[in-house]
Amino acid sequence: MENEIFTKSLLTFVFTNDGKMLVRKNKEEKLDTIPQFFYGYRKKMDATDFKDSIWVINHADEYKERISTFFTYHLRNRKKAILDGFFIANANHLLDVGELHGKIVNYQIEEMKKLSQPSFIRVNDEYYDGGINQFNQQIINQIETRYIVLPSDENLEEFKDLEIIEVDELRRNFGLISSRIALGITGSDGEIMDNFINKLKSLENSSSIRR
């Protein structure tokens, strides 16, 4: 693994139904998003340090499983929550709603708000960054950005070590955030995120309507 250079990853930001971001503290005690998933080869499912900022996945389908693993770890009462069918802790409940599309973006976000299960949308691709080190190697990384939206009735009190915060508050405390969050909330990526959040907030909350 020490000799492998990863060239594509998935960078994910998680939002509540009303547009706040879910964050955690990483090993450097910075506010961070969930781990960044790099495509690579992993011989076995390693025991994971859940404060890590980088995970390796073997294939695209594993993304949902690893998202579920992350949130399951952060549940206060994992056994009870899983038995109760806790939404985000079940990979089958994370729905892919496709790519963010400018012409139908209002419809897409409204649909995400209606769902009774977490969903993700692919936002941005082919952003190349040379500033992330993996196993002490500099890499040129093709990043695909994804936004997850949690359903309005997700019981966020079930989670431990996760915080809910406004994106503008993260910008006001720039020294406290990770490079991953900084990447997502600034420049053209920040404009895309603001547009997404503003639409989440402005669309009438239709959580009572279920698919």
Side-chain angles (χ1 to χ4, degrees):
M1 186 72 77
E2 287 79 10
N3 297 320
E4 183 165 6
I5 297 177
F6 301 97
T7 57
K8 177 154 186 184
S9 72
L10 306 176
L11 180 61
T12 307
F13 298 95
V14 183
F15 298 97
T16 60
N17 201 263
D18 58 356
K20 298 182 180 70
M21 188 185 288
L22 212 67
V23 299
R24 66 194 174 99
K25 284 191 177 179
N26 61 22
K27 286 183 174 180
E28 289 74 39
E29 294 298 311
K30 297 278 190 179
L31 293 176
D32 205 351
T33 185
I34 67 177
Q36 189 170 357
F37 297 89
F38 283 79
Y39 286 108
Y41 178 68
R42 193 187 62 255
K43 293 182 180 179
K44 61 181 179 179
M45 182 70 78
D46 300 321
T48 302
D49 183 337
F50 288 88
K51 280 201 170 185
D52 277 349
S53 296
I54 291 173
W55 287 6
V56 179
I57 58 176
N58 291 329
H59 50 80
D61 290 343
E62 194 180 345
Y63 174 76
K64 290 183 180 183
E65 298 170 15
R66 298 297 269 174
I67 293 285
S68 178
T69 300
F70 173 83
F71 278 101
T72 301
Y73 172 80
H74 283 282
L75 290 173
R76 295 184 188 279
N77 187 336
R78 294 177 215 166
K79 185 175 180 180
K80 179 180 182 300
I82 293 170
L83 288 174
D84 290 346
F86 200 72
F87 289 129
I88 194 69
N90 184 335
N92 295 327
H93 285 286
L94 182 58
L95 183 67
D96 181 355
V97 298
E99 287 188 37
L100 191 67
H101 195 292
K103 293 183 178 179
I104 58 170
V105 62
N106 283 7
Y107 172 77
Q108 287 176 298
I109 296 174
E110 187 172 16
E111 286 300 295
M112 293 177 85
K113 286 178 69 74
K114 289 177 182 179
L115 292 171
S116 59
Q117 63 198 85
S119 57
F120 72 88
I121 193 164
R122 293 186 291 278
V123 180
N124 193 22
D125 203 355
E126 297 185 356
Y127 178 96
Y128 289 89
D129 174 76
I132 298 176
N133 288 293
Q134 170 70 346
F135 302 112
N136 298 317
Q137 296 186 51
Q138 196 77 8
I139 63 172
I140 297 176
N141 174 231
Q142 181 185 359
I143 299 175
E144 178 186 303
T145 304
R146 296 181 174 186
Y147 295 163
I148 291 177
V149 174
L150 302 179
S152 59
D153 56 359
E154 190 76 62
N155 185 3
L156 298 175
E157 292 183 358
E158 292 279 357
F159 294 125
K160 62 179 181 180
D161 305 323
L162 298 177
E163 302 177 43
I164 301 169
I165 192 166
E166 294 277 3
V167 169
D168 283 342
E169 184 69 18
L170 294 171
R171 292 191 177 109
R172 288 192 290 269
N173 293 278
F174 211 75
L176 302 179
I177 65 175
S178 70
S179 59
R180 265 165 288 279
I181 287 187
L183 180 65
I185 68 174
T186 58
S188 58
D189 287 343
E191 292 176 8
I192 293 171
M193 183 178 289
D194 283 343
N195 188 45
F196 184 84
I197 290 171
N198 289 337
K199 284 182 167 58
L200 265 179
K201 291 180 175 181
S202 64
L203 287 169
E204 181 180 356
N205 192 332
S206 52
S207 60
S208 61
I209 303 175
R210 300 298 189 209
R211 276 187 173 180

